[in-house]
Amino acid sequence: MGLSVKRIVFFTLVTAYLFYTSFVYTEGTITEYPITGDAIEGRQLFRDKNCIACHQLYGLGGYMGPDLTNVMSIKGEVYVRAFLENGTQKMPDFSLEEKEVKNLIAYLTYVDSTSLYPTRNFELTWYGTVNSNPIKK
Ligand code: HEC
């Protein structure tokens, strides 16, 4: 191969690499999930009470209690409310006020709408990443 052919191959590959990288690290991975209303206060409460010490969101956190990413759609509000209002032998009762319970439920509903954990029914996009809006089933 002559020097100029090598150069053409080299610069084509570099250009393709730069294009793909800039796409995947910008447009390819940006998804907006605006958090609004009660969920904002719920998120603050979730941090203040350190729920993450025992629970996981999106698979990250403590392992004493279960993952809470999809607890709202899997178990439902009545079930979640019972834990928040009373605690159990293993989970502390935080003596939450009604407004605080509502805010936490709003936050968990928001988290539920943003993802699935563990990732199920995922699809690969044409450019090689996992679709961040997987089909909920
Ligand atoms: C000291 C550890 C601990 C902390 C802190 C804690 N939890 Fe829990 N939680 C648990 C355990 C353990 C369970 C499972 C309890 C059981 O089955 O008796 C649980 C269960 C739950 C459940 C039911 C989940 C399911 O799938 O069955 C919800 C909802 C929940 N916790 C929410 C919260 C929220 C919100 C907070 C913060 C306000 C919180 N927890 C703080 C330990 C904790």
Side-chain angles (χ1 to χ4, degrees), residues 46 49-51 54-55 64-66 68 71 75 79-80 83-84 88 90-92 94 104:
F46 195 87
K49 304 287 179 189
N50 207 11
C51 310
C54 299
H55 291 283
M64 191 177 162
L68 298 179
V71 70
K75 308 267 173 89
Y79 178 93
V80 170
F83 278 82
L84 295 181
T88 69
K90 292 187 258 167
M91 169 161 155
F94 291 93
L104 279 170

Side-chain angles (χ1 to χ4, degrees), residues 2-132:
L3 190 63
S4 63
V5 176
K6 280 185 186 166
R7 280 197 182 144
I8 290 169
V9 171
F10 177 75
F11 285 111
T12 306
L13 288 175
V14 168
T15 309
Y17 168 79
L18 290 176
F19 173 76
Y20 184 73
T21 301
S22 58
F23 178 72
V24 166
Y25 284 92
T26 54
E27 292 303 307
T29 49
I30 292 174
T31 316
E32 300 280 331
Y33 292 107
I35 180 168
T36 53
D38 289 351
I40 296 174
E41 286 174 43
R43 177 173 64 184
Q44 192 54 46
L45 202 56
F46 195 87
R47 291 172 180 163
D48 291 344
K49 304 287 179 189
N50 207 11
C51 310
I52 206 77
C54 299
H55 291 283
Q56 310 101 63
L57 290 181
Y58 314 111
L60 297 174
Y63 285 93
M64 191 177 162
D67 187 286
L68 298 179
T69 314
N70 301 126
V71 70
M72 292 306 294
S73 58
I74 295 173
K75 308 267 173 89
E77 178 169 342
V78 173
Y79 178 93
V80 170
R81 179 173 275 278
F83 278 82
L84 295 181
E85 287 177 348
N86 309 304
T88 69
Q89 280 185 320
K90 292 187 258 167
M91 169 161 155
D93 177 357
F94 291 93
S95 309
L96 300 166
E97 286 165 19
E98 170 56 23
K99 179 74 187 143
E100 296 178 312
V101 171
K102 267 197 177 155
N103 292 345
L104 279 170
I105 287 176
Y107 177 58
L108 291 174
T109 305
Y110 161 79
V111 170
D112 193 18
S113 73
T114 64
S115 190
L116 282 182
Y117 184 81
T119 308
R120 297 180 291 272
N121 310 312
F122 62 84
E123 297 170 311
L124 287 180
T125 58
W126 63 266
Y127 49 90
T129 62
V130 172
N131 185 357
S132 53

